[in-house]
Amino acid sequence: MIKFIATDIDGTLLHSDQTLPNDLPQVINKLHEQNILFSVASGRPYLTLKQSFESLNPNIVYIADNGSHVVYQGKEVAVHAIDNTIVKELIHITRTLPCAYSVVCTTNGAYVESDEPAFLHELEKYYVKYTVVEDLTKLNESVIKYTICDLTGAEENSYPHFLPYQEKVQLSVAGFVWLDCMQKGINKGTAIKEIQDLYQITEEECMAFGDYLNDLEMMQSVYYSYAMANAHEDLKKVSRFETVSNDEDGVIITIKEMCDL
């Protein structure tokens, strides 16, 4: 019996035109009636997820910032911060890369030090609250995620420059222009394990959907792991199952079938 379902947002639940499935609210309500926890698991921050989903149902579990921040019914289940000394080093590296921009993420919003229009255009797709400051290295905040927005492509361009830090932080390519850095060992999969432990749910009672490399550990934390038809090939390799694409409502179709909705 399924007791917990987690889905990525971009490229998974969300259509390519940035719209949600029409019957998502009804599906979430039916899951709640069956005491099945529903979670959105994303590299997006909690404030953005809350703005997008809170009106659909108040009982959604939010796995935000790739597992660094977990919130359920307005209460923080987990918060994992990065060492600020490491964050400053990452900022300095990013400054040396062309077309790459720093995003410092906290539980109460993000901070950036560039107002380049092309960068802000990408940023505003995912961050509803951000502040432009003169120097990010002078911030005195608890940082839960450090993100690089590389307009030339994160996987091919920025990622190699941060590989020396893979023993200090969790590196995750979250999208074409996004490279995320979290506390070492923290990811969507560890967030799901925290929820499993808290509510005494087994891997065999869990289902997850994803499409990109920041979903790898999430797929490995549940038995019913579904890669979207449009998913990265490396994600398909670690997933047990595959469903149709995000534009064909693969998440909704599979949930209805598996949960008899």
Side-chain angles (χ1 to χ4, degrees), residues 6-166:
T7 179
D8 173 54
I9 304 301
D10 299 283
T12 302
L13 181 65
L14 202 65
H15 299 149
S16 297
D17 63 3
Q18 302 300 299
T19 58
L20 289 166
N22 291 331
D23 48 355
L24 178 63
Q26 291 81 8
V27 168
I28 297 176
N29 289 337
K30 288 181 179 179
L31 290 175
H32 181 62
E33 290 171 2
Q34 295 185 20
N35 295 315
I36 300 173
L37 288 173
F38 178 80
S39 172
V40 287
S42 175
R44 297 183 184 218
Y46 166 63
L47 294 178
T48 302
L49 295 177
K50 180 182 178 183
Q51 182 184 80
S52 300
F53 291 93
E54 187 176 43
S55 62
L56 302 184
N57 191 290
N59 299 296
I60 294 174
V61 180
Y62 296 100
I63 297 177
D65 288 311
N66 286 325
S68 294
H69 193 198
V70 183
V71 181
Y72 181 47
Q73 295 180 332
K75 297 180 181 179
E76 289 183 331
V77 175
V79 180
H80 301 282
I82 313 174
D83 186 307
N84 278 11
T85 300
I86 295 176
V87 173
K88 291 180 181 179
E89 294 173 4
L90 299 177
I91 292 169
H92 285 302
I93 294 173
T94 305
R95 287 172 175 172
T96 69
L97 304 177
C99 301
Y101 303 89
S102 297
V103 184
V104 173
C105 307
T106 75
T107 59
N108 194 39
Y111 295 87
V112 301
E113 60 183 10
S114 172
D115 58 1
E116 168 63 37
F119 162 56
L120 294 185
H121 175 71
E122 291 297 327
L123 183 76
E124 290 171 358
K125 292 179 183 178
Y126 307 103
Y127 292 83
V128 297
K129 182 180 180 182
Y130 69 88
T131 303
V132 181
V133 299
E134 185 175 340
D135 185 353
L136 286 173
T137 63
K138 294 181 180 179
L139 279 179
N140 185 25
E141 299 279 349
S142 179
V143 180
I144 58 173
K145 185 184 72 176
Y146 174 77
T147 295
I148 301 94
C149 177
D150 188 331
L151 300 179
T152 60
E155 186 174 1
E156 298 296 328
N157 297 292
S158 292
Y159 183 61
H161 294 276
F162 292 90
L163 282 175
Y165 280 83
Q166 63 184 342

